[in-house]
Amino acid sequence: MRTSLQAVALWGQKAPPHSITAIMITDDQRTIVTGSQEGQLCLWNLSHELKISAKELLFGHSASVTCLARARDFSKQPYIVSAAENGEMCVWNVTSGQCVEKATLPYRHTAICYYHCSFRMTGEGWLLCCGEYQDVLVIDAKTLAVVHGFRSSQFPDWINCMCIVHSMRIQDSLLVVSVAGELKVWDLSSSINSIQEKRDVYEKESKFLESLNCQTIRFCTYTERLLLVVFSKCWKVYDYCDFSLLLTEVSRNGQFFAGGEMIAAHRILIWTEDGHSYIYQLLNSGLSKSLYPADGRVLKESIYPHLLCSTSVQENKSRPFVMGYMNERKEPFYKVLFSGEVSGRITLWHIPDVPVSKFDGSPREIPVTTTWTLQDNFDKHDTVSQSITDYFSGLKDGAGTAVVTSSEYIPSLDKLICGCEDGTIIITQALNAAKARLLEGGSLVKDSPPHKVLKGHHQSVTSLLYPHGLSSKLDQSWMLSGDLDSCVILWDIFTEEILHKFFLEAGAVTSLLMSPEKFKLRGEQIICCVCSDHSVALLHLEGKSCLLRARKHLFPVRMIKWHPVENFLIVGCADDSVYIWEIETGKLKFYPFHSLYIYDVQAFDQMESFREDAVMTSLALTFVWVAFNGFTDRAVHRNEPDISGTTF
């Protein structure tokens, strides 16, 4: 019978970092969802009075969140989808906070749109995704499997932004703008059968918009005629019928536009990357767009923007801002402009139903309605005690609180190990520590919970590792700790004795990893130390020796893989380069590859299991190594392969 382990996260008086990279408001306008650089999502309650309060932190991503979108008909199932930089996708139930589906794909998404046609589609619908790959992917909203894709017959390219045109009078269409400024239109209604039958679907229309860095494209559902396209240095309005240009407004004062919405008929909201926004009324100039009717073009009356209102933020705030707009069709009928910052702050503006300028015609300032952060929640609810280490005596000579810089939980021993900024390591019973943290004022916290303090580091402890938790063959009493001074200590946590000190003479130890069970050197598993100066060291615990110091990496180390047959250590770096080291000799076996993809040409039907174990197999003819020459080539000219792979 499988047993479940309930996880509880405890913080002190300082809120955890939450650098907002994506933000949305759910369709019922009761919940704000934010994604962060740290990988977690946060659910915020939104009251009828537009007051905000943090509700839950959701941990499901191991990389920065790139985009959020709804994943169902929200009135029936309150599901949203999130995507991360490393290809992870998660579907969440925002009511319960549960992750109902997760997948990892070799694609980095930057925008997602949910589409479902109830009378023609079965299942839960599609997630139409675009990002750092060609054209548009169609992903099943329930299983997160790639169903098919929309392809370009001309100039296939990465897509910057997209929107779905849905109207009672107009066929459902997908509008996208590529990085080169090409507007493309796919007919969704007629494509459903083709997608389900795995037939190629190409665009029905395209037009070059003569501007780059498109940020947003929006169809006006009020007029069913206007199309707003926002670029970083200008925004334009087109006639949706023939994509003729009606208006161009260029950025002033060095501002860069970041998005916009059609908030009413002939009324536009535009915002900038520094958090400002502007509401314009589109007025009819009465002038003909075509000066020469004889050229065959239809006469069109041109329009021009009149600035009605604006919003602003305090100076010296973090940037860029992530902003959006929500128009609620149900009670209480709020129109809300919202923004999220890298600092973790959320700001809301209540947009008037009929924005108007001042009596003298100058724009009216719309004040901030609400602003909130995670730290505000922590400051408001101050009944919970301080951090766990506040209850430990003998720290810092009784003055102040030890700042925890790393931690490790050992379920088998119920031990919580905390490495501190002053170099000490605290070992305590995890259950007692949690009770002391939660039950302030009880008899349990009158005295310090039982604990041990290990002293051996002279700098802040940056990483901890309990090897027995990863391999039962290793000594149960061993524990490793690394610090800012690149010193790694092997401890006996039962006797509190230092068994050995490894002086790596490198940067701060950022992580301690252990080789997998199948990889052994001299009959034992070994420890990998990744340091802040981009170096890697291998330690043999039984022999108390350093086997390898790999120092030639030019960029931070992002991935470590092991080759069990030929004793190779494979190091992937942040610039997509890969270094292959021979462990026993310490030599760089292969010159670093760039943008390396590894594919198993003999097992295409087993890609899921291969994705994790590819580099464990022999480097002989089983692999095809495909190398690219630079970011520019990859960003503009490469064709994504049709098979999945492990990329460094």
Side-chain angles (χ1 to χ4, degrees), residues 547-574:
L547 301 175
L548 171 67
R549 286 186 174 92
R551 303 180 183 274
K552 295 185 178 182
H553 313 124
L554 300 180
F555 289 86
V557 176
R558 289 289 183 262
M559 185 178 294
I560 297 291
K561 293 289 184 178
W562 310 78
H563 191 287
V565 178
E566 301 184 27
N567 286 337
F568 285 162
L569 180 73
I570 305 173
V571 180
C573 296

Side-chain angles (χ1 to χ4, degrees), residues 12-14 387-390 392 395-396 399-407 417-426 459-462 464 484:
Q13 292 179 318
K14 186 176 180 181
S387 82
I388 289 175
T389 56
D390 290 348
F392 299 140
L395 298 177
K396 292 191 173 182
T401 301
V403 177
V404 176
T405 52
S406 58
S407 62
I417 304 176
C418 298
C420 299
E421 191 177 43
D422 62 355
T424 58
I425 297 175
I426 305 166
Q459 297 287 338
S460 175
V461 179
T462 56
L464 297 166
L484 281 176

Side-chain angles (χ1 to χ4, degrees), residues 371-428:
T371 182
W372 199 255
T373 66
L374 271 181
Q375 189 60 51
D376 292 331
N377 264 75
F378 277 62
D379 295 339
K380 179 181 178 181
H381 303 287
D382 56 359
T383 57
V384 180
S385 62
Q386 292 78 25
S387 82
I388 289 175
T389 56
D390 290 348
Y391 296 107
F392 299 140
S393 60
L395 298 177
K396 292 191 173 182
D397 299 325
T401 301
V403 177
V404 176
T405 52
S406 58
S407 62
E408 179 85 359
Y409 174 54
I410 308 175
S412 60
L413 301 177
D414 188 35
K415 296 286 187 184
L416 177 64
I417 304 176
C418 298
C420 299
E421 191 177 43
D422 62 355
T424 58
I425 297 175
I426 305 166
I427 303 178
T428 186

Side-chain angles (χ1 to χ4, degrees), residues 24-204:
M24 67 172 291
I25 297 181
T26 57
D27 289 356
D28 60 2
Q29 212 171 62
R30 295 178 181 176
T31 306
I32 301 175
V33 186
T34 55
S36 67
Q37 289 181 359
E38 294 76 20
Q40 78 264 24
L41 271 63
C42 187
L43 303 182
W44 312 71
N45 286 323
L46 182 60
S47 70
H48 285 298
E49 298 77 26
L50 296 182
K51 301 299 181 183
I52 307 173
S53 178
K55 180 174 66 172
E56 291 179 88
L57 278 177
L58 308 180
F59 295 88
H61 291 291
S62 57
S64 177
V65 177
T66 57
C67 54
L68 300 167
R70 68 185 182 99
R72 297 289 195 280
D73 180 347
F74 204 83
S75 61
K76 299 177 181 178
Q77 290 180 297
Y79 287 3
I80 59 108
V81 60
S82 60
E85 284 189 344
N86 59 355
E88 295 172 345
M89 295 185 71
C90 295
V91 176
W92 305 87
N93 183 327
V94 296
T95 301
S96 65
Q98 292 182 326
C99 179
V100 298
E101 191 64 48
K102 182 175 181 179
T104 301
L105 302 173
Y107 304 100
R108 183 183 184 273
H109 309 301
T110 55
I112 299 175
C113 290
Y114 174 73
Y115 178 70
H116 185 255
C117 184
S118 58
F119 62 92
R120 299 191 63 184
M121 296 175 65
T122 58
E124 302 296 344
W126 294 341
L127 299 176
L128 306 180
C129 306
C130 67
E132 296 182 358
Y133 46 84
Q134 286 183 0
D135 299 329
V136 178
L137 283 179
V138 179
I139 294 178
D140 188 285
K142 182 177 182 180
T143 65
L144 296 182
V146 177
V147 177
H148 206 49
F150 291 102
R151 304 187 182 278
S152 297
S153 59
Q154 295 181 348
F155 310 113
D157 209 339
W158 291 7
I159 304 301
N160 265 4
C161 55
M162 60 183 175
C163 76
I164 293 176
V165 173
H166 180 71
S167 169
M168 299 299 294
R169 297 190 305 106
I170 304 174
Q171 279 192 327
D172 291 353
S173 299
L174 175 67
L175 275 63
V176 308
V177 180
S178 70
V179 295
E182 188 84 9
L183 171 67
K184 299 175 185 292
V185 183
W186 281 275
D187 190 335
L188 289 175
S189 302
S190 62
S191 301
I192 294 176
N193 291 337
S194 298
I195 293 290
Q196 293 172 342
E197 296 171 4
K198 303 297 183 181
R199 289 186 279 119
D200 288 341
V201 179
Y202 296 100
E203 74 273 26
K204 68 173 184 179

